Amino acid sequence: MTTPAPIAKFTRLRHATFASRDPERLLDYYRTVIGLGLVGRNGNRIYLASDSEQLSLVIEPGEAALTRVAFEISPNVEMEAVGAALKQSDLRPELRSDPLPGVSRLLSFTDPEGTQFELIQGWTPTPAQERIGALAVTKLGHVALRTPDPLATSEFYAKVMGLRVSDWVEDRFVFMRSGFEHHTLNFVRAPVRSLHHLAFELRGAAHMQQACDHLARHKLNILWGPVRHGPGHNTAVYHRNPDGHLVELFYDLDRMIDEELGYFDPRPWHRDRPQRPKVWVGLPRDVWGLPPSPECTEFAR
Ligand SMILES: [Fe+2]
């Protein structure tokens, strides 16, 4: 029996939208700490781009929360057909024209737990209207969401949006990939759907050291790391932004360049050779680094 094709396939993670009670304070954090730049404003919405001139973050007024996540899908599918299939699955699709800087058309849908996802095809550069300083992260790397049922949620995203499971931590944390990188969307067991953490990619070890110094200069406590994780093997450091959201900065994430091979490109720090997707059980999972601080324990993955 063949598995039915997904409705569409998430490819690259594009941007995330956050509501904030103090959008200007959050804007200041993303400008002066993370290193995104202001593209423009539309009414009370704020658009921020990375140094690669790609829209990375949208901020709008409201109770502090992640409100939407945008993924790119293949240019070879008809948005209308995807919309019709999403409608058939009761996922409340909505097609919009010129909704965001650098995005000509956007199809949104709402997943069974109420998170809105946006599907985008292609992009045009949206350079910041200012010189980008601070950390100038390379991109938004992944988003981790809480869910009461990670298994059902991972099956939904595999079936509907073509995500592949990279690793599980026991039965409570699932890492899913949309491209060759180990994870772009994760789900962790918790009573209700909300953001668990978001992560920005750094260029390497020197950039990580610069990031730690930079966080200290901004009096943002490092809550975990630097640590080299087990699942994904990324080197990571965590802090909370002014809205209390956990933000990870990372580099060196595992890559499955060739899906056909079914294992991650061999790296010296892997314990399994080859390193295939698996269920991680027991401690220590991390290759090196101390456990998370008490302020971060609910986060321990
Ligand atoms: Fe992460």
Side-chain angles (χ1 to χ4, degrees):
M1 206 175 81
T2 54
T3 321
I7 291 177
K9 269 179 106 169
F10 281 168
T11 56
R12 293 176 53 232
L13 175 63
R14 289 287 297 265
H15 65 266
T17 302
F18 283 89
S20 174
R21 293 185 74 168
D22 193 342
E24 297 302 323
R25 183 180 64 170
L26 202 57
L27 168 64
D28 180 63
Y29 159 83
Y30 279 110
R31 271 172 153 166
T32 61
V33 179
I34 298 300
L36 300 178
L38 183 67
V39 173
R41 297 170 185 257
N42 184 3
N44 49 22
R45 295 180 94 193
I46 298 167
Y47 303 112
L48 290 157
S50 67
D51 214 9
S52 311
E53 303 189 346
Q54 189 158 78
L55 184 68
S56 296
L57 210 82
V58 181
I59 304 173
E60 55 193 18
E63 284 303 313
L66 171 78
T67 49
R68 293 183 288 282
V69 181
F71 271 89
E72 190 161 331
I73 59 170
S74 165
N76 302 319
V77 293
E78 284 290 330
M79 279 282 206
E80 286 75 8
V82 173
L86 290 169
K87 196 169 178 189
Q88 239 179 13
S89 300
D90 288 331
L91 294 168
R92 292 181 275 160
E94 202 183 316
L95 195 59
R96 285 180 282 148
S97 294
D98 287 326
L100 296 165
V103 176
S104 55
R105 284 207 314 167
L106 180 154
L107 178 64
S108 68
F109 73 92
T110 307
D111 84 357
E113 289 175 40
T115 301
Q116 206 177 81
F117 281 82
E118 298 173 322
L119 306 177
I120 293 167
Q121 286 177 315
W123 66 291
T124 49
T126 49
Q129 304 303 308
E130 58 193 357
R131 191 179 161 273
I132 290 183
L135 289 179
V137 295
T138 58
K139 65 178 180 182
L140 176 65
H142 61 270
V143 173
L145 300 176
R146 297 185 171 96
T147 175
D149 191 343
L151 180 61
T153 307
S154 67
E155 286 173 352
F156 171 86
Y157 278 99
K159 189 171 141 249
V160 176
M161 288 296 146
L163 291 184
R164 284 86 68 200
V165 170
S166 283
D167 276 318
W168 278 91
V169 172
E170 289 152 9
D171 62 353
R172 59 190 170 83
F173 201 128
V174 59
F175 299 81
M176 303 191 82
R177 65 185 181 281
S178 51
F180 60 82
E181 290 163 316
H182 182 275
H183 53 273
T184 43
L185 192 61
N186 303 339
F187 297 99
V188 59
R189 190 188 304 283
V192 290
R193 168 62 62 82
S194 61
L195 176 75
H196 187 263
H197 70 280
L198 72 157
F200 293 97
E201 188 187 56
L202 302 175
R203 290 184 296 276
H207 202 190
M208 174 63 80
Q209 183 177 350
Q210 194 192 333
C212 293
D213 285 335
H214 196 65
L215 292 175
R217 206 153 44 228
H218 285 264
K219 299 195 170 18
L220 292 162
N221 287 337
I222 290 175
L223 304 175
W224 192 11
V227 56
R228 182 178 296 284
H229 285 310
H233 293 91
N234 42 320
T235 295
V237 69
Y238 299 81
H239 69 282
R240 285 192 194 278
N241 75 13
D243 276 357
H245 293 137
L246 200 58
V247 177
E248 172 188 348
L249 302 169
F250 73 94
Y251 69 96
D252 252 359
L253 188 62
D254 280 344
R255 294 165 168 222
M256 190 180 288
I257 303 287
D258 195 333
E259 282 282 332
E260 215 174 308
L261 297 179
Y263 59 81
F264 299 101
D265 285 14
R267 308 294 273 158
W269 38 81
H270 286 172
R271 298 182 187 109
D272 297 353
R273 297 171 192 278
Q275 186 76 54
R276 296 181 187 279
K278 68 172 183 176
V279 179
W280 294 70
V281 179
L283 294 169
R285 272 188 299 281
D286 293 332
V287 179
W288 50 258
L290 297 173
S293 71
E295 288 164 82
C296 209
T297 44
E298 61 93 24
F299 173 66
R301 63 186 204 180

